[in-house]
Amino acid sequence: MIRFGIVCLVALVCCDVLICSSAMGESVLLDEITIRGEQQQPIEEKLTIREVRESPARDIGEALQNVPGLSSVRKGAIANDIVLRGMQRDNLNVFLDGVRLHGGCPSRMDPPSFHFDFAEVDYIEVIKGPYDVRNPGSLAGMVNAVSKEPKRGLATNLNVSYGSFNYLDLSATGSYGGEVFDTLIGYAHKASDVPEAGNGQLLTDIYPSTSNNRYRSNTLDSDAYETDTFWVKGGGKHGTGRSELSYSYQDAEHVLYPALLMDADYDRTHRVNWKTTIDNPGLAISKLRFQAFLNRVDHLMDDTLRVSSLPSMMVTKDYMMQTDAKATTFGSKLNADMPVGAGLLTSGVDFYRRNWDATNESAMWMSYAEQPMIPDVDIDNFGIFGEYSYPLSRQLTLKGGARLDHTRVTANALTGTRLDSLYQPYFSSSLDNKADFTEPSANLQLTWKTSEQLEFFTGIASASRTPDQQELFIGLQRMAGKNWLGNPALDATRNNQVDLGAKWKSANFLANVSVFYSSLTDYIYIAEAADPDGAGPLIQARTYRNIDATMYGGEFSSQVVMPFDLFLKGTLSYVRGENADTNQPLAEIPPLSGVVSLRYDNGNWYAEISERFAARQDRVDESLQENETAGWGVTDLKAGTFWGRWELLGGVNNLFDKYYFSHLSYQRDPFNAGVKVPEMGLFAYVNLSYRF
């Protein structure tokens, strides 16, 4: 299957000579190919809402899997966490309209992309590599979802999707755009039963019959999730500027995570965003932008659906363990564009505070004990940046940027007694409940457009990411098994990276290829730690440590417009990670993967067949008990038609009901259950939408 996919990708290049110049059917794909060819660099990607709606993806993380270089971590039927070139969690920034958002769960049940809905989004932009100096912490790159804007006049968009396992996705948006004022309002509802894998097994039925983590018999086939999202925004012009205020509320109930020891009772999210733009305010400034935001997530999880919570001498409540977590993030940005010489200088200042507080309660020694798992930790970040783009000639463009961040971290609820008794025995250095970091970042990019068809890109960058609250200060003491501890002595991670890329485009052909090499200093990595004080039995713990590492790889993507309204598309991605301290593979690195698809699209109706595939991943970190994952290939079908303001589409994913696993489905979290969640088996779906 892998060999077939690679052969198909090679064939994409050869197909260019077969393209005829006959008139093609009107298709939105032609516009997308043109836009990507003219506007995007090899290190950039753009996913449109059309591509999302044509798939049965349940969240942004799942939808982005078809973008070369991106993959996701599966812990259940929804809330897939985004991985970019082998880096995940806080190594990459995930935004909505540039707003920083963090979930509450220490095991990433609710990654940032979980807290907004497809129906809010117009498109998703991706920057691969540490080339974003406008935001702190973009060590591996940035994913930014851009929300829909009100159209001129009245507009309505209604959408309903239904599929296997009672999958339901309903959304409605309405908007009005006038000369001075505009507004938009929307609502979305998602729900599903527990899906089945390719072997007919429920995703919840993956535990051995002797496991205390298994679901109770009456909860195996309960709802997998239910989410409701409401959002509203309003904006208006004033003088030479415009201001916009938006608010969103999301309520997620009863979300199952078979890969973990607990499930989410609820996630409740509030988001507020205010943006103001002023054109030509004076002082040689061509545009001034201000943004302020606030968001809060309340997250509650427990094991009430598991056998571990059955009543016993130890378990006297509805649960054996429960975690109540809250995350609040607020901040502001002030940016200005200033023409300088023949180029444009963009500079700005920004600030954000991220507070994270999580209390774990579990049955220990015949009673329930509460622990400050994330001990009310504040991160305050102050940053300043400048970015300059200068045309050296008609063919050459030079772009460079620099950034300086100062970060303070304070664990407000971590007492000296707990620090000395629980944390200190595992570390040789003296520990504190505070940490300070001052880190610079910079990059230089050169674009060479040799002709209208061919463009080359090269970039070199150095960026930093400070440790988060969990990596520094998490504290979870267990009666049985390993403790889980942060390392307050961690240093910030630095990524020194070089990128090379090329883009070839014509009226009927687009190809992107990019390669990268990253040298990571003080990369934050999972580690085992044994109690060194020798008092009593040695209690092992999972913690974090700094290592040196390398990652390198690349992506290839191509789209070909063929005769008879046919479109051929293919992608290929590869990344290799190495622990330079041990000369062993890095854990949780995705294998070689790709997609090949053939589509007929005459502008009125379309049909497409796709083959998604991944190679075997045998480069694993055995010290963390990481297992190899077999290669796989699955076939997807879809078709759709348009008439007037209506669109009807449907399809089948995993047509042959393949039983397989994503390598990244095994997650090392404080509450990981040590099992892999298989991917879904055959999944049929239909989508009906109306636009006015």
Side-chain angles (χ1 to χ4, degrees):
M1 188 64 66
I2 301 300
R3 191 173 301 165
F4 166 76
I6 295 174
V7 170
C8 288
L9 285 172
V10 174
L12 292 177
V13 180
C14 301
C15 282
D16 191 46
V17 301
L18 301 176
I19 297 172
C20 69
S21 59
S22 61
M24 308 297 295
E26 293 295 328
S27 171
V28 69
L29 269 71
L30 296 175
D31 293 334
E32 290 178 7
I33 291 174
T34 299
I35 291 171
R36 286 171 172 162
E38 293 178 351
Q39 299 181 358
Q40 291 181 218
Q41 292 181 336
I43 60 167
E44 298 176 353
E45 296 285 348
K46 183 176 179 180
L47 185 72
T48 65
I49 195 61
R50 175 197 65 79
E51 295 170 285
V52 174
R53 283 298 183 199
E54 286 187 12
S55 77
R58 298 162 187 251
D59 54 44
I60 297 293
E62 198 169 62
L64 285 170
Q65 291 184 68
N66 288 331
V67 175
L70 282 93
S71 47
S72 65
V73 177
R74 181 174 294 283
K75 295 184 283 287
I78 201 171
N80 297 276
D81 207 354
I82 298 170
V83 179
L84 174 58
R85 287 179 166 177
M87 290 198 192
Q88 54 182 287
R89 302 178 69 96
D90 282 359
N91 286 320
L92 65 150
N93 280 327
V94 180
F95 299 138
L96 175 65
D97 291 333
V99 170
R100 181 176 299 274
L101 174 68
H102 295 282
C105 179
S107 287
R108 301 279 287 198
M109 285 183 180
D110 60 331
S113 58
F114 176 66
H115 292 290
F116 49 87
D117 193 89
F118 288 148
E120 294 181 72
V121 176
D122 186 25
Y123 61 91
I124 303 166
E125 54 188 8
V126 179
I127 295 178
K128 302 175 185 176
Y131 295 98
D132 170 31
V133 297
R134 302 190 184 197
N135 298 284
S138 295
L139 186 80
M142 180 195 70
V143 177
N144 183 42
V146 179
S147 67
K148 295 176 180 177
E149 294 292 340
K151 298 179 180 180
R152 182 59 61 92
L154 290 170
T156 301
N157 189 353
L158 305 174
N159 188 87
V160 56
S161 297
Y162 185 78
S164 303
F165 321 116
N166 285 323
Y167 163 75
L168 181 63
D169 185 347
L170 301 170
S171 66
T173 58
S175 65
Y176 169 76
E179 287 288 338
V180 178
F181 174 77
D182 53 67
T183 185
L184 183 148
I185 187 169
Y187 168 76
H189 172 80
K190 281 187 171 72
S192 175
D193 293 343
V194 176
E196 293 179 357
N199 62 353
Q201 185 181 47
L202 292 170
L203 298 194
T204 51
D205 193 16
I206 56 177
Y207 290 91
S209 59
T210 56
S211 173
N212 262 351
N213 302 325
R214 70 187 189 276
Y215 286 86
R216 300 185 190 186
S217 58
N218 63 334
T219 63
L220 274 172
D221 58 353
S222 61
D223 295 341
Y225 60 85
E226 184 175 355
T227 68
D228 292 279
T229 309
F230 166 81
W231 62 98
V232 61
K233 66 165 63 174
K237 296 179 181 179
H238 47 80
T240 62
R242 169 182 165 80
S243 292
E244 180 181 284
L245 180 65
S246 62
Y247 168 76
S248 174
Y249 174 72
Q250 183 187 72
D251 185 9
E253 302 282 344
H254 191 78
V255 187
L256 305 187
Y257 296 93
L260 305 174
L261 299 177
M262 290 186 279
D263 305 290
D265 284 8
Y266 59 76
D267 283 284
R268 294 166 185 161
T269 307
H270 299 268
R271 290 189 281 112
V272 180
N273 185 27
W274 174 36
K275 297 187 296 184
T276 292
T277 303
I278 301 176
D279 294 324
N280 300 310
L283 300 176
I285 297 174
S286 59
K287 181 168 288 189
L288 190 67
R289 292 179 294 271
F290 176 76
Q291 183 175 28
F293 61 89
L294 167 68
N295 52 72
R296 177 182 173 89
V297 178
D298 292 322
H299 171 82
L300 182 68
M301 59 180 178
D302 56 44
D303 67 338
T304 56
L305 305 178
R306 313 293 184 100
V307 171
S308 56
S309 65
L310 289 173
S312 67
M313 292 182 61
M314 180 178 295
V315 180
T316 57
K317 296 185 178 183
D318 292 338
Y319 53 85
M320 189 273 288
M321 55 182 166
Q322 180 186 84
T323 299
D324 188 3
K326 294 175 174 58
T328 302
T329 309
F330 63 86
S332 60
K333 307 176 184 180
L334 179 63
N335 299 346
D337 292 343
M338 293 172 285
V340 178
L344 181 68
L345 173 66
T346 300
S347 61
V349 294
D350 50 63
F351 161 78
Y352 79 85
R353 165 170 283 191
R354 175 187 179 186
N355 175 268
W356 196 0
D357 189 17
T359 301
N360 175 263
E361 182 185 13
S362 57
M364 299 176 66
W365 299 289
M366 310 301 292
S367 64
Y368 282 78
E370 286 192 356
Q371 299 184 66
M373 185 176 177
I374 306 290
D376 188 19
V377 188
D378 288 328
I379 287 182
D380 293 303
N381 188 96
F382 304 84
I384 184 171
F385 79 91
E387 187 175 56
Y388 185 61
S389 179
Y390 183 78
L392 297 174
S393 68
R394 294 184 63 181
Q395 291 79 31
L396 288 172
T397 300
L398 183 66
K399 184 178 180 180
R403 180 177 183 88
L404 182 66
D405 288 288
H406 178 70
T407 308
R408 293 199 307 254
V409 189
T410 306
N412 301 298
L414 180 56
T415 64
T417 300
R418 183 171 172 85
L419 188 67
D420 292 340
S421 62
L422 180 59
Y423 295 73
Q424 191 66 66
Y426 293 92
F427 302 98
S428 56
S429 58
S430 179
L431 304 180
D432 196 357
N433 70 338
K434 298 180 181 179
D436 285 88
F437 306 90
T438 300
E439 298 291 331
S441 300
N443 69 72
L444 199 61
Q445 306 167 54
L446 181 65
T447 303
W448 179 26
K449 192 171 184 179
T450 62
S451 67
E452 288 298 319
Q453 290 75 37
L454 185 60
E455 182 178 298
F456 293 96
F457 169 87
T458 183
I460 185 169
S462 179
S464 179
R465 193 271 287 183
T466 57
D468 65 25
Q469 291 104 318
Q470 179 167 324
E471 294 162 339
L472 288 168
F473 295 118
I474 186 176
L476 182 64
Q477 189 174 18
R478 285 173 166 158
M479 185 177 67
K482 299 176 182 178
N483 294 336
W484 196 282
L485 299 173
N487 180 355
L490 284 173
D491 292 322
T493 296
R494 179 158 296 277
N495 180 15
N496 298 306
Q497 181 168 316
V498 60
D499 288 80
L500 297 171
K503 178 175 66 179
W504 177 25
K505 69 179 180 69
S506 66
N508 299 319
F509 183 74
L510 173 65
N512 267 328
V513 61
S514 59
V515 295
F516 72 95
Y517 179 87
S518 290
S519 175
L520 297 158
T521 303
D522 292 322
Y523 183 59
I524 300 172
Y525 198 61
I526 297 290
E528 301 280 10
D531 189 344
D533 64 6
L538 296 182
I539 302 175
Q540 279 196 327
R542 277 277 170 94
T543 185
Y544 302 88
R545 63 185 175 94
N546 292 118
I547 66 169
D548 290 338
T550 59
M551 290 188 185
Y552 59 89
E555 299 89 35
F556 172 78
S557 64
S558 181
Q559 298 181 74
V560 181
V561 184
M562 301 175 67
F564 311 112
D565 297 334
L566 292 174
F567 296 80
L568 184 62
K569 180 179 179 180
T571 67
L572 195 65
S573 305
Y574 178 72
V575 61
R576 183 183 179 97
E578 193 82 15
N579 184 333
D581 290 355
T582 63
N583 294 320
Q584 297 295 319
L586 285 177
E588 291 195 319
I589 299 296
L592 174 73
S593 61
V595 181
V596 178
S597 63
L598 181 64
R599 179 183 179 111
Y600 173 82
D601 192 334
N602 65 9
N604 295 316
W605 68 275
Y606 59 87
E608 181 174 309
I609 180 170
S610 300
E611 187 76 11
R612 293 180 289 121
F613 55 87
R616 180 179 184 85
Q617 181 56 287
D618 53 10
R619 288 182 48 80
V620 295
D621 188 340
E622 295 180 354
S623 69
L624 295 177
Q625 294 82 51
E626 185 178 31
N627 297 319
E628 296 183 7
T629 305
W632 52 267
V634 297
T635 304
D636 302 334
L637 300 175
K638 64 181 176 183
T641 185
F642 305 88
W643 73 98
R645 302 181 186 276
W646 295 88
E647 179 183 2
L648 177 66
L649 66 92
V652 179
N653 271 24
N654 196 356
L655 178 65
F656 300 108
D657 215 12
K658 178 80 172 181
Y659 180 66
Y660 69 104
F661 295 86
S662 165
H663 181 66
L664 295 175
S665 63
Y666 186 75
Q667 179 78 340
R668 282 157 207 82
D669 284 312
F671 298 114
N672 90 80
V675 296
K676 278 191 173 184
V677 178
E679 297 296 309
M680 277 182 272
L682 186 149
F683 184 87
Y685 62 96
V686 62
N687 178 277
L688 179 65
S689 61
Y690 173 79
R691 292 177 177 84
F692 171 76

